[in-house]
Amino acid sequence: PDATPLQTELAKATVTIWPVAEGRIEGIEEGKTYLALPPVGSVIVRDLYPKSVTYAQIYKGKQAIGTVGSPMPSTILSYDTHTPQNAQLALNDLESMVTEDGEYTIEVLTVTPFNNGAPELLAHVTFELDRTIETNGGITTME
């Protein structure tokens, strides 16, 4: 302010710091065995990066990083904004994607311009579906 010819700004930079994206799956418990498909669960995501695609995928078996599953269409979310975003999505695709009994994993993944475009894991849950009904009984006669 005390310079005698008027100073001119030559350059300016802005740094934006985004929070780390987070996610969780509600309505489906880790490690639980269900006798019927779990009730409709939901995916809660916070601070999703601008220019990101976030989705839940399901696959048969235990959770393993790098496993490619089937994306759940109702959870695919894309943002092209300038600020981090929050969302709540229903897991209402289970009925059409789980056709047989067994162990399943649902993962919430996000793809951002970072990490060389590889999906980053935000949350996961593994559950078992066993719709087989077993009864113990016996038949006897009076003879």
Side-chain angles (χ1 to χ4, degrees):
D2 59 350
T4 350
L6 188 61
Q7 294 182 349
T8 305
E9 184 177 297
L10 299 176
K12 181 178 178 180
T14 302
V15 175
T16 302
I17 299 174
W18 293 321
V20 175
E22 298 175 347
R24 70 180 185 275
I25 299 169
E26 292 184 346
I28 301 173
E29 293 180 43
E30 175 70 31
K32 184 172 179 180
T33 299
Y34 290 92
L35 301 176
L37 278 173
V40 175
S42 61
V43 172
I44 313 291
V45 287
R46 289 181 20 147
D47 299 323
L48 296 178
Y49 284 0
K51 300 203 183 281
S52 69
V53 176
T54 304
Y55 60 96
Q57 72 172 5
I58 187 167
Y59 56 87
K60 199 159 180 167
K62 291 191 180 298
Q63 195 265 339
I65 297 290
T67 301
V68 177
S70 300
M72 301 177 81
S74 67
T75 65
I76 299 172
L77 187 60
S78 178
Y79 284 119
D80 190 10
T81 62
H82 297 289
T83 59
Q85 300 292 312
N86 302 329
Q88 180 172 353
L89 309 163
L91 289 174
N92 53 12
D93 302 320
L94 284 176
E95 190 73 40
S96 63
M97 302 189 89
V98 177
T99 57
E100 57 187 51
D101 290 1
E103 189 172 46
Y104 288 89
T105 297
I106 299 173
E107 293 179 335
V108 180
L109 304 168
T110 188
V111 178
T112 66
F114 311 107
N115 197 29
N116 294 321
E120 297 176 50
L121 180 67
L122 298 181
H124 79 276
V125 65
T126 300
F127 66 95
E128 186 162 345
L129 180 62
D130 184 4
R131 295 179 276 203
T132 305
I133 298 175
E134 298 176 8
T135 60
N136 293 326
I139 298 176
T140 58
T141 63
M142 294 291 288
E143 297 179 353

